[in-house]
Amino acid sequence: MVELSLRWHLAQIGEPKSTAGMRIPGDFQSRPPSGRLRDLMKAMRSPKPEQWTKTNQGVFSNKDWTEECQGVTHDQFYWYVSSNHAGKQRVYRLSPDGDVVDHVKLAGNGSEHLGHIDYHDGRIYCAMEDPADPPKIVVIDTPPFTGWRSVALVGESGGAPPQTRCAWCAMNPWNGLLYSWNGTRSKHADRLIAYRLDSDGARFVHVKEADIKLPEPLLFVQGAVFSKNGHVLLARNAPASLEASLLGDTSDIRCYSVLNGTYFGRLVIPKGSGWPDLEEVEGLTIWEGREFDGVTTHVHLILLDNDIHNDDDVYFKHYHVPLSDDL
């Protein structure tokens, strides 16, 4: 029998370091939209990532959208994937079976790299970065899924944002804030940085009190997604280095509570190896109830197979979560 007391649930995430550590009160803190205590408790329970099983893997080879594919999200009817193909940065709309329906060209946005994307309330948010300029978010409205607008990331007072890189962005449905981070494949980061969209939609402004502090610094986080139950999943690609190999570092999906960043475990993502073609964990999304081979799946991940001599391939992995009520 599962103990459902508040004391038991609090024990799962540990004692907060301060009264603000729980992130319950305040205009921009993480709390369930319902405001109910029982929904808040779900953020204190682990969905046990180590128990997740891959039930299906779609293989897509040498497509326009698979070249430098970086991220994946969805609405009620379609998948959306981002392609950072040089000179052809695009967001593609795919059918549930993976066929291209249409796309939006992001040429002229002024950024060198298109990263992971997320969908929330009729909009797709695209992480964009360039070494010479501050990072920003490109926003695509759906409908009509025909054009885009560029929105700057700024600091609390309107100055420079607290990040110079932007590999991914994700919307937290509990507070309506956009999150990103400042890490790279060689630069550790341990904070998910929160932004609110101005009322005129012209800027994403840093909301420092809503940042999520992780218990550990991480490298090479390629994507993130927030769940309806107050968890954030991070897709991490193990650095391709001798040191990482000797330490047994592996790619994974890591799960944290949005309340105080408590770590709830990880799902290891096996990858093939072999130069010059390298596999790379990219973005992920949660789309519950998608059936593959008669099995219900919940979490979906892009694994990019970087091909040197022809266009890239994508392994689209679909995972069943036994404790999906806790996801």
Side-chain angles (χ1 to χ4, degrees):
M1 179 176 180
V2 177
E3 171 61 64
L4 297 179
S5 71
L6 178 59
R7 184 184 299 275
W8 183 90
H9 281 85
L10 285 171
Q12 307 312 299
I13 62 170
E15 291 296 326
K17 296 180 177 61
S18 69
T19 55
M22 284 291 292
R23 304 207 178 284
I24 299 174
D27 291 340
F28 296 110
Q29 305 296 355
S30 291
R31 55 185 175 185
S34 68
R36 294 181 297 196
L37 181 60
R38 67 181 181 183
D39 291 333
L40 178 68
M41 287 179 174
K42 292 178 180 179
M44 308 176 196
R45 298 171 64 173
S46 172
K48 304 289 186 182
E50 65 277 6
Q51 296 180 6
W52 302 356
T53 56
K54 186 187 73 175
T55 62
N56 182 273
Q57 175 175 280
V59 181
F60 300 87
S61 301
N62 305 324
K63 309 287 186 182
D64 283 345
W65 67 268
T66 63
E67 181 65 16
E68 284 298 311
C69 184
Q70 300 292 297
V72 60
T73 188
H74 69 91
D75 60 14
Q76 298 93 324
F77 307 106
Y78 301 103
W79 301 105
Y80 295 89
V81 294
S82 55
S83 168
N84 191 47
H85 190 177
K88 293 175 62 176
Q89 291 178 339
R90 295 177 178 177
V91 173
Y92 290 86
R93 172 185 277 168
L94 308 182
S95 72
D97 294 327
D99 298 318
V100 174
V101 177
D102 50 9
H103 67 267
V104 170
K105 298 178 181 179
L106 301 186
N109 66 77
S111 295
E112 180 182 273
H113 188 271
L114 163 63
H116 178 55
I117 60 178
D118 198 16
Y119 171 89
H120 178 71
D121 198 21
R123 292 171 175 165
I124 298 172
Y125 299 88
C126 312
M128 312 294 301
E129 64 180 9
D130 191 290
D133 295 299
K136 59 190 175 186
I137 305 297
V138 162
V139 180
I140 302 172
D141 291 320
T142 65
F145 195 65
T146 55
W148 55 269
R149 57 191 171 94
S150 180
V151 183
L153 298 176
V154 300
E156 288 184 290
S157 301
Q163 62 186 94
T164 58
R165 305 301 298 268
C166 189
W168 57 264
C169 63
M171 295 294 296
N172 182 353
W174 275 24
N175 56 17
L177 299 185
L178 178 135
Y179 283 78
S180 187
W181 89 319
N182 197 35
T184 66
R185 68 180 62 195
S186 59
K187 178 182 178 181
H188 288 87
D190 64 356
R191 186 175 299 275
L192 309 187
I193 305 170
Y195 297 88
R196 63 170 172 81
L197 185 62
D198 266 353
S199 58
D200 60 2
R203 306 182 306 172
F204 279 104
V205 182
H206 182 210
V207 184
K208 186 175 181 179
E209 66 268 25
D211 287 355
I212 299 174
K213 178 71 162 54
L214 302 180
E216 57 187 340
L218 298 175
L219 289 173
F220 227 160
V221 174
Q222 299 278 69
V225 64
F226 286 82
S227 78
K228 66 180 185 297
N229 287 332
H231 300 108
V232 58
L233 308 182
L234 303 182
R236 193 181 65 98
N237 189 62
S241 68
L242 177 60
E243 179 184 8
S245 178
L246 291 175
L247 292 175
D249 197 5
T250 53
S251 300
D252 50 36
I253 298 174
R254 305 175 80 85
C255 179
Y256 302 87
S257 172
V258 303
L259 297 181
N260 65 355
T262 294
Y263 174 59
F264 280 142
R266 69 179 188 137
L267 171 72
V268 174
I269 307 298
K271 298 191 305 181
S273 61
W275 185 259
D277 299 338
L278 298 175
E279 294 181 358
E280 187 176 349
V281 169
E282 298 289 355
L284 78 169
T285 190
I286 297 171
W287 194 355
E288 300 189 63
R290 301 304 306 172
E291 284 198 3
F292 294 90
D293 300 328
V295 180
T296 300
T297 61
H298 310 83
V299 176
H300 314 270
L301 176 80
I302 292 289
L303 181 68
L304 179 65
D305 186 12
N306 290 283
D307 289 341
I308 302 300
H309 302 297
N310 52 19
D311 290 339
D312 296 338
D313 305 327
V314 160
Y315 301 104
F316 197 9
K317 299 174 180 288
H318 308 282
Y319 295 92
H320 172 74
V321 179
L323 298 178
S324 58
D325 288 345
D326 293 335
L327 181 62

